Amino acid sequence: MFRTALRNVLAHKARLLMTVLAVMLGVAFVSGTLVFTSTISDAFQKSSQKGFTNVDVAVQPHKESGDRSVPGAAPRLTQDLLDRAAKVPGAASATGSVSGFAAIADKKGKLIGEGFSSSGANYYAGQGGKDARYPLKSGRAPRAAGEIALDAKTADRAGYKVGDTVRISVDGPVLQQKLTGVFTTDDGNVSAGGSLALFDTATAQKLYGKPGGFDEIDVKAAAGTSQAALKSSVEKILPKDTEATTGKQLADEQSRMISQSMDGMRTTLLVFAGIALFVGIFIIANTFTMLVAQRTKELALLRAVGASRRQVTRSVLIEAFVVGTVAGVTGLVAGIGIGAGLRSLIGGTGATIPDGPLVISPSTILVSMVVGIVVTMLAAWLPGRRAAKIPPVAAMNSVHAVATTKSLVVRNSIGGVISALGAALVLTATSSTMMGLGAGLVLIGVFVLTPLLSRPVIAAAAPLLRPFGMPGKLARQNAVRNPRRTAATASALMIGLTLITGLTVIAGSMQQAIDKMATGALKADYVVSMASMTPLSTDVEKTLAGHPDVVAASPLRSSPARIDGDHQSLTGVNGKTIGQLTNLDFTSGSFAGLSGDKVVVDDATARSNHWKQGSSFDVTFEDGKKGKLTVGGVFKGNDLMRGIWIDTPTLAPHQKQVDDRQVMVKVKGGAGEKVKDSLAKALGDNPAIQIQTKQDISNGISKAIGLLLNMLYGLLAMAVVVAVLGVINTLAMSVFERQQEIGMLRAIGLDRKGIKRMVRLESLIISLFGGVMGIGLGVFFGWAAGDLIKKAVSTYELVLPWGRMGVFLLLAAVVGVLAALWPARRAAKLNMLSAIKAE
């Protein structure tokens, strides 16, 4: 039986090629994902570990004590502590670090890179006047105020050279700094595409609010001293609220965080690889079903000469094992190429990835082979089992084992139950997990029901096929002749288009919801904030309020508080101007009730606390002082505008550090480039500050959604490619199966063009059937998901992207036409007499 199985594989090389390709693509996606994420993770981890080369023990404030120190309080990590740390037994040297945000402008005045990855630090001149962390590539280290050094990658990007003047901002006015040096670094942030500016220590301490203090003290061990021994020595001199950590612990924690950040990407990519494999299962099952059907007499003869049912099933599974092994090996090789290509592609987008070798772990090889073999064998098991059940005598009398009415009734009943259960879960879902489970059940149920659905749907296409005459009529009849095969072929495409359509519906609806939120709630022409998402200086609001074009301005600031024992956040706004800057619907009261100890709250907060206009409640402010506030109004909130709003003069005295999240501005005559440039100039053309219109805010979110959607389209394209292979495979094998029929059609007058047209139209019908089913299910899932999303985004409403759905249907048609090219050509080339005589 083993030799028979191998002979069958070699005898049907062409027929199994598409199956191998389908499995190979899925395996390649899996192995490529594992290679890519392992390579990136390893590169970042090694780069991170290099950053701890000069750190054997790090002294830091306790994490529980918070990152922001109280203004005016003595620093916990002082120069005295640093000097003492350098003299503990086993210490070779100690270095003090100060760091924070630093926006660097290019020569055109634009921010270099992304705000969150722009950082600044100090150059700590230790022994020999050098800082081992930052080897200088050219020039010298900064020694006084007005001087900086830049990392080599940032200097190259901006075209800066030693001696140039660089415009830079921390959190205040723009500073004109002389570039004295360019350095190299193993800093992970820089390796990932960020920027780093270095100041002398005294300047960095002044800029980052740490006069005479440090954020961290790094101690280097002397030769022969272990990190653990050095840590014990350092701990003896530590003041309260500080802690010592070994460099190895820091490196391990950084590696763990990097690995965790890669987990999300790895999981996402593997989900799409799983989708491609799931689609591939339909192709494999279809292929083996057709192969088994074409070899029914052969298998019956084997049964007649003594082969058991188990042996017949085993022979089919051996074929599947060989196919899966070949697909696993080729998929692994292709996946290694995909992993390398993804790394180059990420680098080509401008994102910087640390250098490192391509990582191909044993687990990647094992997973690739297991996936290829197991998926193929699972998909082939049912056709093999079905073949073994055919009685030898019945099989010898019929080339095809026709599905009984009873089997179709059972199948339709099972499909109906699964679909109904899935639809019930989708419609009553209270979580994304429940929604995903329901959607999966609906897909499976619809697949089971597809043979039943294929007849009425394809019959509806009859009027469109009439202009094509006899080839059109034959194509329709061929498409419904074997509903199981049509279902399996169309379902592969259906799954891909279901996911693509569903994601498009959700993304389009979400974009409209964001537009409504931004344009509906804001009257302000501009929103001013830091590019780094860090707090703004209060000077910004004062400067803007005094600008001749500004009609009204209000800060938005946040301060933690306790209300009825629960942690809450108070939002500080200018009570006199906020009504001119926002467009909120009040269910009771108005902004007139926002002054002194009167606040306004959103309706959700009011409901959860059982408040209404006139309600009073006790509050403990950030500084620990207690007070009583009264609700002066209740407004309809959304994700942009919600919470407890209080007048800034009332809130400011209780804040430990007064700063703003953003500033809303309304100008004369509305937003315009000229006014925007004027506001930017008033703020010193600061690269760290972004001035956005309502449309800018909406476009920014829209761009992020569009980028994510395009990435998902790219990932789902793999499933569509696999589906195309399925259509090609089914048609090619169908042509082989119908050689006699095609020969007879030729003999009674249907020419080669008619044969080609018949096969192409059959492919087109099957593909459009899959496309209609996929788009319909995608719209259903998008609509159902809206109920879940609406709980978090109140402005969410279903938007059907008719244009894109039309493109998706056209894509299904193109898939059908392209998939039929080779099978149609092959059918037309069949020799008429040879085909009639074929078994």
Side-chain angles (χ1 to χ4, degrees):
M1 293 304 294
F2 181 72
R3 288 197 301 272
T4 301
L6 289 180
R7 188 201 68 196
N8 284 328
V9 171
L10 295 174
H12 304 113
K13 294 188 290 289
R15 293 184 231 173
L16 290 171
L17 177 62
M18 293 298 174
T19 304
V20 171
L21 281 173
V23 182
M24 183 202 77
L25 283 172
V27 173
F29 207 159
V30 172
S31 58
T33 295
L34 295 174
V35 168
F36 171 67
T37 53
S38 296
T39 298
I40 299 300
S41 180
D42 182 72
F44 275 115
Q45 285 176 0
K46 286 182 177 176
S47 174
S48 172
Q49 287 168 358
K50 285 180 184 177
F52 294 106
T53 304
N54 296 300
V55 182
D56 288 310
V57 172
V59 179
Q60 301 167 318
H62 270 303
K63 292 181 177 64
E64 292 79 8
S65 60
D67 296 324
R68 288 171 60 178
S69 58
V70 179
R76 281 167 285 183
L77 304 183
T78 62
Q79 183 67 46
D80 177 63
L81 178 61
L82 187 150
D83 293 337
R84 284 190 290 139
K87 295 175 183 177
V88 300
S93 62
T95 303
S97 299
V98 183
S99 60
F101 170 69
I104 304 165
D106 60 20
K107 291 188 174 181
K108 294 181 180 178
K110 301 296 183 183
L111 177 68
I112 297 175
E114 301 291 339
F116 60 85
S117 61
S118 303
S119 55
N122 67 310
Y123 187 95
Y124 190 86
Q127 295 176 357
K130 294 182 179 180
D131 189 332
R133 300 171 298 176
Y134 310 113
L136 288 164
K137 185 177 179 182
S138 61
R140 62 171 178 80
R143 296 172 185 163
E147 296 181 346
I148 63 163
L150 289 179
D151 69 271
K153 291 181 179 179
T154 298
D156 288 341
R157 269 193 293 173
Y160 283 128
K161 294 180 181 178
V162 173
D164 287 347
T165 298
V166 179
R167 297 176 72 250
I168 191 167
S169 173
V170 176
D171 64 353
V174 175
L175 306 172
Q176 302 284 345
Q177 305 283 292
K178 181 181 179 182
L179 182 62
T180 63
V182 175
F183 60 91
T184 58
T185 178
D186 291 320
D187 185 288
N189 186 55
V190 174
S191 298
S195 61
L196 178 60
L198 297 180
F199 308 90
D200 68 283
T201 298
T203 301
Q205 289 173 329
K206 180 181 177 183
L207 289 172
Y208 295 117
K210 301 283 190 328
F214 301 96
D215 294 315
E216 181 176 309
I217 294 173
D218 300 325
V219 187
K220 178 75 175 168
T225 303
S226 68
Q227 290 188 352
L230 180 60
K231 179 185 174 185
S232 297
S233 298
V234 169
E235 284 178 333
K236 294 175 182 176
I237 65 163
L238 293 184
K240 186 181 178 182
D241 290 336
T242 59
E243 60 184 350
T245 310
T246 64
K248 185 179 184 307
Q249 287 175 321
L250 290 173
D252 289 345
E253 176 65 16
Q254 188 84 347
S255 294
R256 186 185 65 79
M257 291 173 64
I258 291 170
S259 181
Q260 281 184 344
S261 67
M262 288 290 114
D263 285 345
M265 181 190 295
R266 185 184 293 113
T267 301
T268 301
L269 291 173
L270 286 175
V271 165
F272 286 96
I275 292 168
L277 283 169
F278 184 60
V279 172
I281 285 174
F282 293 111
I283 299 172
I284 301 163
N286 220 13
T287 301
F288 277 94
T289 298
M290 294 175 75
L291 284 175
V292 167
Q294 291 168 12
R295 287 163 38 210
T296 306
K297 281 189 175 181
E298 176 190 323
L299 294 173
L301 186 60
L302 287 173
R303 290 288 312 283
V305 297
S308 66
R309 286 185 176 185
R310 187 174 295 177
Q311 285 178 311
V312 171
T313 304
R314 194 181 300 150
S315 71
V316 175
L317 291 178
I318 290 170
E319 290 181 50
F321 176 80
V322 174
V323 170
T325 302
V326 172
V329 171
T330 53
L332 174 62
V333 174
I336 294 170
I338 288 173
L342 281 173
R343 178 173 173 167
S344 300
L345 182 64
I346 294 293
T349 61
T352 307
I353 299 171
D355 294 329
L358 206 63
V359 178
I360 307 164
S361 64
S363 62
T364 299
I365 298 172
L366 180 64
V367 167
S368 299
M369 295 306 300
V370 168
V371 166
I373 294 169
V374 170
V375 166
T376 309
M377 292 184 71
L378 280 176
W381 175 75
L382 190 59
R385 187 167 175 270
R386 193 182 297 136
K389 284 186 174 181
I390 300 171
V393 175
M396 287 180 185
N397 291 331
S398 176
V399 176
H400 306 291
V402 180
T404 63
T405 304
K406 181 182 176 182
S407 69
L408 288 173
V409 170
V410 171
R411 175 174 178 147
N412 293 337
S413 300
I414 293 172
V417 170
I418 295 173
S419 298
L421 180 60
L425 282 174
V426 168
L427 294 173
T428 60
T430 55
S431 67
S432 56
T433 303
M434 190 174 173
M435 174 69 70
L437 178 61
L441 286 174
V442 169
L443 275 176
I444 294 170
V446 170
F447 165 67
V448 176
L449 284 173
T450 307
L452 177 67
L453 298 171
S454 64
R455 290 183 180 276
V457 175
I458 291 175
L464 300 175
L465 296 172
R466 283 200 189 102
F468 297 100
M470 186 55 65
K473 183 177 181 181
L474 290 170
R476 183 179 63 80
Q477 291 175 346
N478 288 335
V480 296
R481 177 189 299 179
N482 191 331
R484 290 176 184 268
R485 183 187 304 163
T486 298
T489 307
S491 294
L493 188 60
M494 177 190 77
I495 291 169
L497 286 179
T498 295
L499 295 169
I500 289 173
T501 304
L503 290 169
T504 303
V505 169
I506 292 170
S509 302
M510 183 63 79
Q511 179 55 48
Q512 178 170 288
I514 291 164
D515 282 339
K516 275 188 179 180
M517 207 180 292
T519 57
L522 277 177
K523 283 185 186 175
D525 295 309
Y526 295 104
V527 175
V528 181
S529 61
M530 291 288 283
S532 61
M533 308 308 292
T534 53
L536 276 168
S537 167
T538 54
D539 292 337
V540 171
E541 192 259 337
K542 293 174 185 175
T543 302
L544 291 172
H547 192 281
D549 290 323
V550 173
V551 176
S554 172
L556 227 68
R557 62 182 60 157
S558 181
S559 176
R562 289 179 69 86
I563 297 171
D564 294 332
D566 295 329
H567 290 284
Q568 296 270 11
S569 180
L570 300 177
T571 300
V573 296
N574 187 327
K576 295 177 181 178
T577 59
I578 191 66
Q580 301 175 61
L581 299 163
T582 58
N583 188 24
L584 298 174
D585 291 331
F586 277 80
T587 56
S588 62
S590 67
F591 278 126
L594 180 59
S595 63
D597 61 356
K598 290 184 178 179
V599 299
V600 295
V601 301
D602 71 282
D603 50 355
T605 301
R607 278 196 305 271
S608 64
N609 290 283
H610 306 290
W611 294 338
K612 59 183 179 180
Q613 185 181 4
S615 298
S616 295
F617 56 90
D618 295 321
V619 61
T620 303
F621 291 101
E622 185 180 349
D623 60 356
K625 293 183 179 179
K626 296 183 178 181
K628 187 177 284 288
L629 299 175
T630 302
V631 177
V634 179
F635 62 87
K636 292 180 181 178
N638 58 45
D639 282 359
L640 293 179
M641 304 284 180
R642 62 182 177 183
I644 304 169
W645 289 18
I646 186 171
D647 202 10
T648 48
T650 305
L651 180 64
H654 298 290
Q655 290 185 273
K656 294 179 179 179
Q657 184 167 328
V658 181
D659 48 35
D660 300 326
R661 286 205 317 265
Q662 59 189 41
V663 176
M664 295 181 286
V665 180
K666 188 170 183 62
V667 296
K668 297 174 184 175
E673 284 301 316
K674 189 175 180 180
V675 178
K676 186 176 181 179
D677 290 342
S678 178
L679 295 178
K681 190 174 181 180
L683 296 173
D685 289 320
N686 195 323
I689 297 176
Q690 56 184 8
I691 303 172
Q692 296 178 296
T693 63
K694 290 180 283 188
Q695 195 59 47
D696 289 335
I697 296 170
S698 180
N699 289 345
I701 300 172
S702 176
K703 185 179 178 182
I705 292 175
L707 180 62
L708 178 61
L709 196 59
N710 288 334
M711 287 175 62
L712 295 177
Y713 283 165
L715 294 171
L716 286 171
M718 182 70 75
V720 175
V721 170
V722 173
V724 172
L725 291 175
V727 178
I728 295 172
N729 206 22
T730 300
L731 286 173
M733 297 183 74
S734 179
V735 166
F736 177 84
E737 191 178 84
R738 301 194 323 245
Q739 286 184 83
Q740 279 188 332
E741 177 188 317
I742 292 170
M744 288 298 297
L745 289 171
R746 290 287 315 283
I748 61 175
L750 194 62
D751 60 10
R752 292 181 187 272
K753 284 185 179 180
I755 295 292
K756 280 185 181 181
R757 189 174 295 124
M758 177 187 73
V759 176
R760 287 171 183 163
L761 288 172
E762 180 183 349
S763 174
L764 184 63
I765 292 168
I766 293 172
S767 296
L768 285 175
F769 170 56
V772 169
M773 295 289 292
I775 292 170
L777 282 173
V779 170
F780 170 69
F781 291 142
W783 167 77
D787 287 339
L788 275 181
I789 298 170
K790 202 162 187 176
K791 292 176 183 177
V793 183
S794 59
T795 53
Y796 184 92
E797 288 181 7
L798 180 68
V799 175
L800 293 180
W802 294 105
R804 289 204 177 190
M805 289 195 296
V807 170
F808 297 154
L809 196 60
L810 182 62
L811 173 66
V814 171
V815 165
V817 172
L818 293 178
L821 290 178
W822 178 57
R825 184 182 175 84
R826 184 182 177 190
K829 282 189 172 183
L830 284 175
N831 183 280
M832 189 190 311
L833 295 177
S834 299
I836 293 172
K837 291 189 295 181
E839 281 287 334

